[in-house]
Amino acid sequence: MNRLLEERICKRQESLKKTCETLLANCYNIVLEIGCGHGHFLNAYAAAFPRTFCVGIDFNQERITSAQKKQTKAELSNLVFLKAEANELMNALPSHVKLDAVFLLFLDPWPKTRHHKKRLIQAAFLDLLAKKSYLSTKLYFKTDHLDYFQWTSKAIKQHPSWQMNPEATWPLDTQTHFEKMFEQSQSLIANYTPSR
């Protein structure tokens, strides 16, 4: 990685950290959607749970802008959308902030074998989530890609801090923009279980 690129990444990370410190100064628990797309799901969630503070992230600025327009139209003060990469956001969250729930809906499955290392669901990322979780934290995952579903199921079953919860239900029955495009999908819910 060249020096100029390293400097840009460092500045972006510093800016994100300052933004999070300001926006989340008085928030201790948040609901996070990673890969929020155009914000359909999280806007609906924030409207349904007005006492919950929600954060949606995506690395595509056009999607973030679209999500923010929906938020403004709905006048939701318990919701913020940020242009951010998942690992950077996790490292930028203030130390006092914990995750109530994490939604991972229709992430890029990186279907080619040589690209599997780019999949978000890896042991290291589950470690990051665990550091910001507490006993009631749940991880919600949904995909239209069977191989990615199996990959995620295996990763969670093998991780010491997460446990599959087949009895749990989704807190909100609403479809994402991407979900409407697919004929079928697979989903799972996992609990944070530090004593496992």
Side-chain angles (χ1 to χ4, degrees), residues 121-142:
I121 306 299
Q122 310 271 356
F125 185 70
L126 292 173
D127 287 342
L128 269 180
L129 290 180
K131 288 177 184 176
K132 300 301 287 182
S133 298
Y134 60 102
L135 283 175
S136 64
T137 302
K138 285 186 171 56
L139 184 156
Y140 298 87
F141 177 84
K142 193 176 282 190

mmCIF file of all heavy atoms in Angstrom, residues 121-142:
data_model
loop_
_atom_site.group_PDB
_atom_site.id
_atom_site.type_symbol
_atom_site.label_atom_id
_atom_site.label_comp_id
_atom_site.label_asym_id
_atom_site.label_seq_id
_atom_site.Cartn_x
_atom_site.Cartn_y
_atom_site.Cartn_z
ATOM 1 N N ILE A 121 -18.334 -12.144 6.957
ATOM 2 C CA ILE A 121 -18.461 -13.093 8.061
ATOM 3 C C ILE A 121 -17.225 -13.986 8.112
ATOM 4 O O ILE A 121 -17.085 -14.939 7.346
ATOM 5 C CB ILE A 121 -19.738 -13.958 7.931
ATOM 6 C CG1 ILE A 121 -20.971 -13.074 7.789
ATOM 7 C CG2 ILE A 121 -19.862 -14.884 9.146
ATOM 8 C CD1 ILE A 121 -21.237 -12.143 8.948
ATOM 9 N N GLN A 122 -16.340 -13.622 9.011
ATOM 10 C CA GLN A 122 -15.104 -14.361 9.293
ATOM 11 C C GLN A 122 -14.933 -14.341 10.812
ATOM 12 O O GLN A 122 -15.531 -13.524 11.499
ATOM 13 C CB GLN A 122 -13.899 -13.665 8.642
ATOM 14 C CG GLN A 122 -14.035 -13.315 7.187
ATOM 15 C CD GLN A 122 -13.592 -14.427 6.252
ATOM 16 O OE1 GLN A 122 -13.107 -15.457 6.689
ATOM 17 N NE2 GLN A 122 -13.789 -14.231 4.963
ATOM 18 N N ALA A 123 -14.097 -15.218 11.331
ATOM 19 C CA ALA A 123 -13.870 -15.284 12.780
ATOM 20 C C ALA A 123 -13.409 -13.937 13.336
ATOM 21 O O ALA A 123 -13.874 -13.504 14.398
ATOM 22 C CB ALA A 123 -12.851 -16.374 13.104
ATOM 23 N N ALA A 124 -12.531 -13.248 12.620
ATOM 24 C CA ALA A 124 -12.008 -11.968 13.120
ATOM 25 C C ALA A 124 -13.108 -10.917 13.246
ATOM 26 O O ALA A 124 -13.119 -10.130 14.204
ATOM 27 C CB ALA A 124 -10.899 -11.469 12.200
ATOM 28 N N PHE A 125 -14.042 -10.901 12.290
ATOM 29 C CA PHE A 125 -15.126 -9.922 12.375
ATOM 30 C C PHE A 125 -16.107 -10.299 13.483
ATOM 31 O O PHE A 125 -16.614 -9.423 14.193
ATOM 32 C CB PHE A 125 -15.858 -9.796 11.036
ATOM 33 C CG PHE A 125 -16.890 -8.710 11.061
ATOM 34 C CD1 PHE A 125 -16.521 -7.377 11.115
ATOM 35 C CD2 PHE A 125 -18.244 -9.014 11.069
ATOM 36 C CE1 PHE A 125 -17.465 -6.364 11.183
ATOM 37 C CE2 PHE A 125 -19.194 -8.011 11.125
ATOM 38 C CZ PHE A 125 -18.803 -6.686 11.183
ATOM 39 N N LEU A 126 -16.373 -11.574 13.665
ATOM 40 C CA LEU A 126 -17.230 -12.000 14.770
ATOM 41 C C LEU A 126 -16.586 -11.645 16.116
ATOM 42 O O LEU A 126 -17.284 -11.331 17.077
ATOM 43 C CB LEU A 126 -17.509 -13.503 14.672
ATOM 44 C CG LEU A 126 -18.384 -13.935 13.484
ATOM 45 C CD1 LEU A 126 -18.446 -15.459 13.392
ATOM 46 C CD2 LEU A 126 -19.787 -13.344 13.577
ATOM 47 N N ASP A 127 -15.256 -11.674 16.173
ATOM 48 C CA ASP A 127 -14.538 -11.223 17.376
ATOM 49 C C ASP A 127 -14.816 -9.747 17.644
ATOM 50 O O ASP A 127 -15.068 -9.345 18.780
ATOM 51 C CB ASP A 127 -13.027 -11.407 17.207
ATOM 52 C CG ASP A 127 -12.571 -12.850 17.275
ATOM 53 O OD1 ASP A 127 -13.332 -13.697 17.774
ATOM 54 O OD2 ASP A 127 -11.443 -13.126 16.818
ATOM 55 N N LEU A 128 -14.745 -8.940 16.575
ATOM 56 C CA LEU A 128 -15.000 -7.496 16.713
ATOM 57 C C LEU A 128 -16.409 -7.231 17.232
ATOM 58 O O LEU A 128 -16.608 -6.405 18.121
ATOM 59 C CB LEU A 128 -14.824 -6.799 15.356
ATOM 60 C CG LEU A 128 -13.468 -6.232 14.977
ATOM 61 C CD1 LEU A 128 -13.541 -5.596 13.595
ATOM 62 C CD2 LEU A 128 -12.959 -5.248 15.991
ATOM 63 N N LEU A 129 -17.388 -7.932 16.663
ATOM 64 C CA LEU A 129 -18.767 -7.774 17.122
ATOM 65 C C LEU A 129 -18.900 -8.180 18.591
ATOM 66 O O LEU A 129 -19.583 -7.513 19.371
ATOM 67 C CB LEU A 129 -19.717 -8.619 16.271
ATOM 68 C CG LEU A 129 -19.969 -8.189 14.833
ATOM 69 C CD1 LEU A 129 -20.948 -9.153 14.166
ATOM 70 C CD2 LEU A 129 -20.506 -6.770 14.754
ATOM 71 N N ALA A 130 -18.247 -9.263 18.964
ATOM 72 C CA ALA A 130 -18.337 -9.764 20.338
ATOM 73 C C ALA A 130 -17.821 -8.737 21.343
ATOM 74 O O ALA A 130 -18.373 -8.587 22.432
ATOM 75 C CB ALA A 130 -17.567 -11.080 20.465
ATOM 76 N N LYS A 131 -16.783 -8.010 20.975
ATOM 77 C CA LYS A 131 -16.203 -7.007 21.883
ATOM 78 C C LYS A 131 -17.181 -5.877 22.194
ATOM 79 O O LYS A 131 -17.054 -5.205 23.214
ATOM 80 C CB LYS A 131 -14.917 -6.431 21.279
ATOM 81 C CG LYS A 131 -13.751 -7.388 21.295
ATOM 82 C CD LYS A 131 -12.545 -6.767 20.628
ATOM 83 C CE LYS A 131 -11.400 -7.770 20.547
ATOM 84 N NZ LYS A 131 -10.233 -7.233 19.812
ATOM 85 N N LYS A 132 -18.144 -5.658 21.306
ATOM 86 C CA LYS A 132 -19.107 -4.573 21.499
ATOM 87 C C LYS A 132 -20.495 -5.102 21.872
ATOM 88 O O LYS A 132 -21.472 -4.373 21.822
ATOM 89 C CB LYS A 132 -19.210 -3.727 20.223
ATOM 90 C CG LYS A 132 -17.920 -3.074 19.782
ATOM 91 C CD LYS A 132 -17.347 -2.141 20.843
ATOM 92 C CE LYS A 132 -18.138 -0.878 20.975
ATOM 93 N NZ LYS A 132 -17.575 0.058 21.974
ATOM 94 N N SER A 133 -20.568 -6.367 22.246
ATOM 95 C CA SER A 133 -21.853 -6.999 22.549
ATOM 96 C C SER A 133 -22.008 -7.272 24.035
ATOM 97 O O SER A 133 -21.042 -7.223 24.794
ATOM 98 C CB SER A 133 -21.987 -8.315 21.769
ATOM 99 O OG SER A 133 -21.969 -8.080 20.377
ATOM 100 N N TYR A 134 -23.227 -7.574 24.431
ATOM 101 C CA TYR A 134 -23.501 -8.012 25.795
ATOM 102 C C TYR A 134 -24.532 -9.127 25.741
ATOM 103 O O TYR A 134 -24.954 -9.540 24.656
ATOM 104 C CB TYR A 134 -23.932 -6.841 26.684
ATOM 105 C CG TYR A 134 -25.170 -6.111 26.238
ATOM 106 C CD1 TYR A 134 -26.386 -6.329 26.856
ATOM 107 C CD2 TYR A 134 -25.114 -5.176 25.192
ATOM 108 C CE1 TYR A 134 -27.529 -5.654 26.449
ATOM 109 C CE2 TYR A 134 -26.246 -4.499 24.791
ATOM 110 C CZ TYR A 134 -27.445 -4.743 25.419
ATOM 111 O OH TYR A 134 -28.567 -4.070 25.012
ATOM 112 N N LEU A 135 -24.950 -9.648 26.881
ATOM 113 C CA LEU A 135 -25.699 -10.906 26.930
ATOM 114 C C LEU A 135 -26.942 -10.966 26.050
ATOM 115 O O LEU A 135 -27.287 -12.027 25.561
ATOM 116 C CB LEU A 135 -26.075 -11.246 28.375
ATOM 117 C CG LEU A 135 -24.932 -11.824 29.213
ATOM 118 C CD1 LEU A 135 -25.364 -12.003 30.655
ATOM 119 C CD2 LEU A 135 -24.447 -13.152 28.635
ATOM 120 N N SER A 136 -27.619 -9.864 25.853
ATOM 121 C CA SER A 136 -28.855 -9.919 25.060
ATOM 122 C C SER A 136 -28.654 -9.564 23.587
ATOM 123 O O SER A 136 -29.606 -9.527 22.817
ATOM 124 C CB SER A 136 -29.918 -8.997 25.670
ATOM 125 O OG SER A 136 -29.488 -7.659 25.604
ATOM 126 N N THR A 137 -27.431 -9.325 23.175
ATOM 127 C CA THR A 137 -27.158 -8.947 21.786
ATOM 128 C C THR A 137 -27.474 -10.104 20.830
ATOM 129 O O THR A 137 -27.104 -11.241 21.075
ATOM 130 C CB THR A 137 -25.686 -8.526 21.608
ATOM 131 O OG1 THR A 137 -25.398 -7.434 22.477
ATOM 132 C CG2 THR A 137 -25.405 -8.120 20.167
ATOM 133 N N LYS A 138 -28.142 -9.741 19.725
ATOM 134 C CA LYS A 138 -28.453 -10.738 18.702
ATOM 135 C C LYS A 138 -27.876 -10.302 17.353
ATOM 136 O O LYS A 138 -27.817 -9.120 17.040
ATOM 137 C CB LYS A 138 -29.965 -10.936 18.576
ATOM 138 C CG LYS A 138 -30.569 -11.742 19.722
ATOM 139 C CD LYS A 138 -32.030 -12.032 19.460
ATOM 140 C CE LYS A 138 -32.592 -13.005 20.479
ATOM 141 N NZ LYS A 138 -32.425 -12.572 21.860
ATOM 142 N N LEU A 139 -27.484 -11.290 16.584
ATOM 143 C CA LEU A 139 -26.985 -11.083 15.233
ATOM 144 C C LEU A 139 -28.013 -11.684 14.278
ATOM 145 O O LEU A 139 -28.366 -12.859 14.396
ATOM 146 C CB LEU A 139 -25.621 -11.763 15.086
ATOM 147 C CG LEU A 139 -24.866 -11.600 13.770
ATOM 148 C CD1 LEU A 139 -23.374 -11.803 14.030
ATOM 149 C CD2 LEU A 139 -25.322 -12.574 12.711
ATOM 150 N N TYR A 140 -28.508 -10.867 13.354
ATOM 151 C CA TYR A 140 -29.506 -11.300 12.373
ATOM 152 C C TYR A 140 -28.854 -11.317 10.992
ATOM 153 O O TYR A 140 -28.300 -10.304 10.555
ATOM 154 C CB TYR A 140 -30.692 -10.340 12.357
ATOM 155 C CG TYR A 140 -31.447 -10.245 13.657
ATOM 156 C CD1 TYR A 140 -31.059 -9.345 14.651
ATOM 157 C CD2 TYR A 140 -32.565 -11.052 13.901
ATOM 158 C CE1 TYR A 140 -31.750 -9.249 15.847
ATOM 159 C CE2 TYR A 140 -33.266 -10.968 15.096
ATOM 160 C CZ TYR A 140 -32.857 -10.068 16.063
ATOM 161 O OH TYR A 140 -33.547 -9.978 17.240
ATOM 162 N N PHE A 141 -28.941 -12.452 10.321
ATOM 163 C CA PHE A 141 -28.302 -12.600 9.014
ATOM 164 C C PHE A 141 -29.305 -13.154 8.008
ATOM 165 O O PHE A 141 -30.052 -14.081 8.316
ATOM 166 C CB PHE A 141 -27.108 -13.562 9.131
ATOM 167 C CG PHE A 141 -26.413 -13.851 7.830
ATOM 168 C CD1 PHE A 141 -25.445 -12.997 7.339
ATOM 169 C CD2 PHE A 141 -26.728 -14.993 7.092
ATOM 170 C CE1 PHE A 141 -24.804 -13.262 6.131
ATOM 171 C CE2 PHE A 141 -26.099 -15.265 5.890
ATOM 172 C CZ PHE A 141 -25.128 -14.393 5.407
ATOM 173 N N LYS A 142 -29.280 -12.581 6.812
ATOM 174 C CA LYS A 142 -30.181 -13.053 5.752
ATOM 175 C C LYS A 142 -29.447 -12.938 4.410
ATOM 176 O O LYS A 142 -28.749 -11.957 4.150
ATOM 177 C CB LYS A 142 -31.455 -12.209 5.728
ATOM 178 C CG LYS A 142 -32.583 -12.806 4.893
ATOM 179 C CD LYS A 142 -33.856 -11.972 4.989
ATOM 180 C CE LYS A 142 -34.585 -12.220 6.278
ATOM 181 N NZ LYS A 142 -35.940 -11.601 6.297
#
